[in-house]
Amino acid sequence: MKKILVVTLAFALAVAVAGIGCTGRTASTGQSDLLQLANARGLSPEDAARAVKTFVPPGGRDEYMLFASGGHSGQVHVVGVPSMRLLKTIAVFTPEPWQGYGFGADWSEASLNGESNPDPGQHLRWGDSHHPALSETDGKYDGRWLYINDRAHGRIGMVDLSDFRAKQVLHVPNLQTSHGGVFATPDTRYVHISSKVPALKGWDASKGQKISVQDHLDHYPDLYRGYSTFLRIDQKTGRMILKDSFQIELPPYTQDLADAGKGPSYGYAFINSYNVEMSTGGVEQGKPPLEVGASQLDFDYLHIVNWKKAEDVIAAGKFTELNGIRVISIETAIAEGLLFLAPEPRSPHGVDIAPRGDYITVSGKLDPHATVYGFDRIKKAIDEKNYEGKDRYGIPILKFDAVVAGRVDLGAGPLHTQYDNKGNAYTSLYLESAVAKWTLGEPYHPADKAFKLVDKVSIHYNIGHLATAQGDTMDPQGKYLIAMNKWSIDRHSNVGPLHPQNFQLIDISGEKMDLLADMPVGFGEPHYAQMVRADILKPHEVYAPGVSPASMLKSPDAIAGAKDARIVRRPGVVEVWMNVVRSHFTPDIVQAKVGDKIIVHLTNVEQTPDATHGFAVPMKNVMVSLDPGETTTVEFVADKPGSFSFYCTEFCSALHLEMQGWLIVEPK
Ligand code: RUQ
Ligand code: CUA
């Protein structure tokens, strides 16, 4: 029945879109009702067709899920496609009380505080999440984990997609800031992250090193360095293991985006850079402003890193340990033949490997072309030592003409490129506020000339990244493209001077691109996003009884029910094993003395999907979300006398309001 209706409706709209009147013999009452409805709402037949293309009926599911970074909200947003409905926000670098992330000295707060923090006294409470990287197997998303960098700091977070929670925040040594280069290798053996602004080489504030602008910025090329980091991934837990990771030292050019080789280019990484001029700014010191100084030369450098070879170099012990990570120096990288440069037209931004791993598209804000490098050409130039020179650090520069397969004129301000399953590429045009579609043609020369612009669609406005379905993997899907627009200006109702960002959903299944829908994003400034087929994700509905989300193993402090609940006191400590179930905490009264440390092991013994409870203690900054099956421990100090009514924060049952208890703190 439902199917028939859908078919009828689609037909009605097809008829309408084709401009055929609805009075023809084929029209039924249902169709004219529908068209009347569209008319009454002021929708054109095209609008109505777009509505049908994106509509997901109540209770229905989206075909794809978009994982979008939240920018300086420090979060990741999960959006259903094509409905463009927000399904979840995952806190990574920022506390988030609904999820109980970062409140109550529990595992999540420890995770948020971060590993290998160079300044352990400083607990960062925000981050600038930019580039998500879904884990891959055989070059395809596998739905296990997601990694995302913090642009503001040299940090990277890991989200476990078995429960959509952030489990690890790692401070990457020697990076003060990070940008591009968050990608998983096609087998997720490593996740890569590189520095943004180069940092002082080997700088250690705790050693009392002195710093002055004069000394340092005047010797910038000698004192500053970038790093390309390969973080080894534990294949069971998804965690990044620092001791098995390594870095390759890079010149203090500003390394930008990066992508992983795959297929024929597996084992290589490609990193863009700008400011090879090594301009530092300093107008008052008589130097050019950075934005001018960094745009002097016609070319910057694409860094080509052979990480497979780097692995061997590490295994051979040719590294130094710097701030807790193994580092291959520039000199060693050159001597071992694992680091090369290729000229790229000035101030590039995106570097994106085509699905087959054969072509590498680079585009730069200041050049209207996309420049396409052929990996076979790069390989050949390396083998034949076809260099046009060396940079100041001695790194060989491959000949531009030898490595470029072609260039295509796209328009103003090309930034990022994604791919579909029909040999097309899609490039965002920031300045032109458009998406350009162009063909890659069949692989490799002489067909290289096939690169050709075929379509363009306007977006609103100032697009940064774009995401096609699985468009950065070896399994691109076509179908949908999300334009991630930086400005929305007049597209939505006025909500004050801080405007939402604007996502736009574009249908790329046909010859011409078709803009289907806008989604105001009022919860962050997304940068990159990845779109994955929803059926690839297989998260748990509930935790197995007593599982700690930190380890995904049964917690030693889990209890099976109210009969196991207990309070154990020792000097200065009150330790509670608390049972949590609709609609009661057991025990529900906890007594303590001022100064006591309160440790509460909470187990939500429910196994019913969605039977989440909360545990919140007023005036203690404690707020935990206890999902069904979960065991979590919170700790705080009873520093003031009084009576504190803890309660369940989720409206879990008819007696939710009654789900509360008392913490009574007596004076000493
Ligand atoms: S890049 S500004 Cu993703 Cu276009 Cu960070
Ligand atoms: Cu449990 Cu409300």
Side-chain angles (χ1 to χ4, degrees):
M1 176 66 208
K2 199 166 161 195
K3 224 182 206 144
I4 294 168
L5 200 80
V6 171
V7 170
T8 315
L9 195 147
F11 179 72
L13 285 158
V15 167
V17 171
I20 300 165
C22 56
T23 49
R25 276 185 299 142
T26 50
S28 73
T29 327
Q31 291 165 36
S32 56
D33 278 359
L34 231 116
L35 291 168
Q36 266 173 24
L37 213 63
N39 263 332
R41 290 211 61 214
L43 302 176
S44 69
E46 290 81 5
D47 287 337
R50 288 172 186 137
V52 172
K53 283 185 180 175
T54 57
F55 182 66
V56 172
R61 297 285 187 277
D62 280 295
E63 191 180 354
Y64 291 94
M65 304 260 258
L66 184 79
F67 288 84
S69 69
H72 38 296
S73 79
Q75 300 167 331
V76 172
H77 305 293
V78 188
V79 174
V81 180
S83 74
M84 302 307 283
R85 296 175 300 183
L86 178 66
L87 293 165
K88 193 171 219 177
T89 288
I90 307 168
V92 182
F93 301 113
T94 309
E96 205 289 326
W98 170 58
Q99 294 154 54
Y101 184 76
F103 302 94
D106 65 341
W107 68 270
S108 71
E109 193 170 336
S111 163
L112 178 62
N113 289 344
E115 276 173 41
S116 85
N117 187 344
D119 185 0
Q122 161 87 293
H123 290 156
L124 299 170
R125 282 298 174 265
W126 76 286
D128 189 358
S129 60
H130 268 228
H131 300 114
L134 288 162
S135 58
E136 295 182 11
T137 300
D138 298 329
K140 299 169 187 172
Y141 298 148
D142 57 22
R144 291 183 294 169
W145 312 296
L146 177 134
Y147 302 85
I148 190 154
N149 73 306
D150 170 7
R151 156 66 181 92
H153 310 100
R155 295 190 298 171
I156 182 163
M158 184 273 281
V159 175
D160 186 346
L161 293 178
S162 75
D163 60 359
F164 280 51
R165 291 170 102 167
K167 300 290 173 69
Q168 187 185 24
V169 171
L170 180 72
H171 291 257
V172 181
N174 307 317
L175 307 191
Q176 188 180 61
T177 57
S178 69
H179 192 222
V182 181
F183 62 72
T185 56
D187 45 10
T188 318
R189 181 172 171 82
Y190 295 100
V191 165
H192 176 271
I193 178 170
S194 44
S195 45
K196 171 88 176 158
V197 181
L200 277 170
K201 184 181 177 175
W203 167 253
D204 188 347
S206 66
K207 289 186 188 134
Q209 283 174 272
K210 287 211 186 85
I211 183 165
S212 78
V213 173
Q214 225 38 37
D215 290 354
H216 285 270
L217 291 181
D218 281 352
H219 299 106
Y220 183 83
D222 300 320
L223 296 179
Y224 285 72
R225 286 293 179 270
Y227 294 91
S228 158
T229 315
F230 289 83
L231 296 162
R232 185 67 176 268
I233 303 303
D234 180 321
Q235 295 302 308
K236 281 216 177 74
T237 63
R239 283 170 190 264
M240 300 165 277
I241 318 162
L242 206 51
K243 71 168 182 37
D244 297 331
S245 305
F246 63 88
Q247 284 180 327
I248 296 153
E249 184 191 16
L250 298 175
Y253 311 143
T254 304
Q255 278 80 30
D256 202 17
L257 290 168
D259 203 358
K262 50 200 175 198
S265 52
Y266 176 81
Y268 283 80
F270 305 90
I271 311 170
N272 270 339
S273 68
Y274 60 92
N275 195 14
V276 301
E277 295 85 348
M278 296 184 279
S279 173
T280 58
V283 179
E284 291 74 15
Q285 281 78 29
K287 296 179 187 163
L290 199 144
E291 67 276 22
V292 174
S295 312
Q296 296 303 307
L297 301 173
D298 288 338
F299 290 96
D300 289 284
Y301 296 129
L302 175 67
H303 298 40
I304 300 155
V305 176
N306 184 337
W307 63 260
K308 265 304 216 187
K309 212 173 229 182
E311 265 189 333
D312 299 339
V313 169
I314 290 284
K318 296 177 196 164
F319 61 83
T320 46
E321 183 117 1
L322 186 60
N323 293 314
I325 189 163
R326 300 173 295 180
V327 178
I328 299 174
S329 68
I330 293 179
E331 296 73 36
T332 306
I334 296 167
E336 299 288 336
L338 61 87
L339 177 62
F340 298 90
L341 302 173
E344 39 186 11
R346 113 155 35 125
S347 300
H349 188 49
V351 54
D352 299 285
I353 318 294
R356 284 185 294 224
D358 46 6
Y359 288 121
I360 301 143
T361 301
V362 166
S363 40
K365 308 98 66 168
L366 305 180
D367 178 341
H369 298 89
T371 304
V372 187
Y373 297 77
F375 181 70
D376 64 338
R377 292 164 182 265
I378 289 176
K379 217 44 217 329
K380 191 155 176 269
I382 291 173
D383 291 345
E384 293 173 357
K385 299 199 178 4
N386 194 358
Y387 307 148
E388 60 177 56
K390 290 181 175 175
D391 78 342
R392 150 182 198 140
Y393 301 89
I395 308 171
I397 303 166
L398 305 175
K399 251 202 199 112
F400 185 67
D401 291 339
V403 292
V404 170
R407 304 184 73 200
V408 48
D409 193 342
L410 297 176
L415 294 185
H416 302 284
T417 299
Q418 294 262 293
Y419 302 92
D420 70 8
N421 50 349
K422 293 178 198 138
N424 298 304
Y426 301 80
T427 300
S428 55
L429 304 175
Y430 178 84
L431 294 172
E432 199 175 318
S433 283
V435 173
K437 173 180 174 180
W438 51 286
T439 55
L440 277 162
E442 279 310 301
Y444 288 135
H445 35 224
D448 283 343
K449 302 179 221 61
F451 307 138
K452 203 169 78 220
L453 178 69
V454 291
D455 189 28
K456 237 184 219 188
V457 66
S458 293
I459 56 76
H460 314 85
Y461 304 90
N462 296 82
I463 181 172
H465 281 272
L466 73 181
T468 56
Q470 305 185 169
D472 63 357
T473 72
M474 299 187 83
D475 186 26
Q477 305 268 304
K479 287 196 182 180
Y480 298 116
L481 181 152
I482 312 288
M484 306 175 72
N485 307 319
K486 299 298 184 185
W487 292 47
S488 63
I489 310 180
D490 53 3
R491 297 294 284 190
H492 306 293
S493 301
N494 188 349
V495 288
L498 176 62
H499 290 227
Q501 316 292 128
N502 195 29
F503 279 2
Q504 289 184 302
L505 174 66
I506 296 168
D507 179 354
I508 56 168
S509 58
E511 288 281 297
K512 302 284 282 171
M513 294 180 279
D514 185 27
L515 176 59
L516 297 178
D518 278 20
M519 175 194 180
V521 177
F523 37 81
E525 194 215 330
H527 288 260
Y528 186 39
Q530 290 179 322
M531 199 193 313
V532 55
R533 244 175 43 220
D535 63 3
I536 290 175
L537 301 163
K538 303 243 173 346
H540 300 304
E541 277 221 59
V542 300
Y543 293 102
V547 160
S548 157
S551 62
M552 292 310 272
L553 301 169
K554 183 155 185 156
S555 164
D557 293 307
I559 56 174
K563 60 180 190 335
D564 299 327
R566 60 198 187 272
I567 301 178
V568 174
R569 288 165 210 284
R570 26 183 215 279
V573 177
V574 176
E575 190 164 5
V576 186
W577 284 261
M578 191 177 280
N579 189 64
V580 183
V581 72
R582 278 165 287 174
S583 310
H584 197 74
F585 293 107
T586 309
D588 60 357
I589 297 174
V590 177
Q591 284 168 284
K593 290 239 172 359
V594 168
D596 281 351
K597 180 196 251 193
I598 314 290
I599 304 172
V600 190
H601 309 290
L602 298 141
T603 300
N604 176 351
V605 295
E606 310 255 10
Q607 284 290 298
T608 309
D610 212 1
T612 291
H613 301 280
F615 177 76
V617 187
M619 303 310 288
K620 297 292 166 215
N621 224 16
V622 169
M623 168 53 227
V624 189
S625 174
L626 295 154
D627 306 328
E630 172 174 346
T631 295
T632 281
T633 296
V634 296
E635 287 187 26
F636 56 97
V637 176
D639 52 355
K640 294 207 173 55
S643 138
F644 302 87
S645 59
F646 58 83
Y647 77 108
C648 168
T649 40
E650 282 271 331
F651 206 113
C652 55
S653 61
L655 295 173
H656 151 76
L657 291 168
E658 288 79 355
M659 192 165 172
Q660 63 146 87
W662 301 98
L663 167 68
I664 312 285
V665 184
E666 294 165 19
K668 265 215 167 114

